Amino acid sequence: MKKKIIRILLPLLLVIPGIMFATTNNTPTIDGNTSGADEWDSDEDLVTTTGSYTDYITWDGSNLYFAIAGGDVDTDGKVSFIYIDTDPQPTATNGTGSTSSIAWSITHTLPFTANYGFAYKVQSGDDYYNLRKYDSGWQADQTYNGSVAVGTNLLEVSIPWSNIGSPSQIYVVIFMQNDDGSWTWSGA
């Protein structure tokens, strides 16, 4: 009996300190600038597949917040994607969304079944962005009441919880690609 209790308690003791000391839950200003006291906390940055890029995520009671920082984020022909699984399952690909990304010159395989995808394309002062929902296919232009700001080598995005069904848990993946699909980077 003593061994069984140790097997159950040890994993919990290893997980609980990370939960107790996490400081994420922040309201950054979506202004295309990461400086200032109200911006991204140090535990909100994500390791990416490209060393010179940093992705960020945090939330508050109203919104999810994302940022992608690195060279060329603000350059014409770059497309940033944020995929959100709003019904995460123990087996990540068993949810109700899709493991295929929005077809944008290329289709990527996602690590989970995404229910929502946000796309932002930089294009000569007439940038394009939208939130899409997966419902037997990626549906264009869903209700989006968030904010977007582009600064030098930075994209910041807020997505209201209400725009994605107010889930209690999520999975997220973030990446960038060239508009023609020729290169993908900054994955987190």
Side-chain angles (χ1 to χ4, degrees), residues 15-36:
V15 172
I16 290 172
I19 294 169
M20 292 171 57
F21 296 111
T23 60
T24 294
N25 189 305
N26 182 26
T27 305
T29 303
I30 304 301
D31 59 2
N33 183 348
T34 60
S35 64

Side-chain angles (χ1 to χ4, degrees), residues 78-146:
K78 305 301 183 212
V79 187
S80 298
F81 294 96
I82 301 165
Y83 288 94
I84 305 167
D85 181 354
T86 57
D87 67 337
Q89 303 296 313
T91 300
T93 56
N94 284 352
T96 60
S98 177
T99 57
S100 295
S101 69
I102 298 166
W104 199 298
S105 301
I106 188 172
T107 301
H108 301 279
T109 300
L110 303 173
F112 52 74
T113 51
N115 303 96
Y116 291 88
F118 182 86
Y120 187 95
K121 178 184 175 187
V122 180
Q123 56 184 14
S124 298
D126 190 24
D127 295 358
Y128 166 85
Y129 59 91
N130 76 7
L131 178 65
R132 297 183 185 195
K133 180 178 182 179
Y134 186 84
D135 184 11
S136 301
W138 286 106
Q139 309 300 312
D141 298 326
Q142 300 301 297
T143 298
Y144 176 67
N145 300 316

Side-chain angles (χ1 to χ4, degrees), residues 29-34 39-40 66-67 147-149 154-157:
T29 303
I30 304 301
D31 59 2
N33 183 348
T34 60
E39 292 300 328
W40 302 93
F66 302 94
S147 300
V148 177
L154 179 69
L155 169 65
E156 290 183 304
V157 177

Side-chain angles (χ1 to χ4, degrees), residues 30-48:
I30 304 301
D31 59 2
N33 183 348
T34 60
S35 64
D38 63 342
E39 292 300 328
W40 302 93
D41 290 339
S42 62
D43 68 343
E44 297 166 348
D45 59 327
L46 306 172
V47 175
T48 70

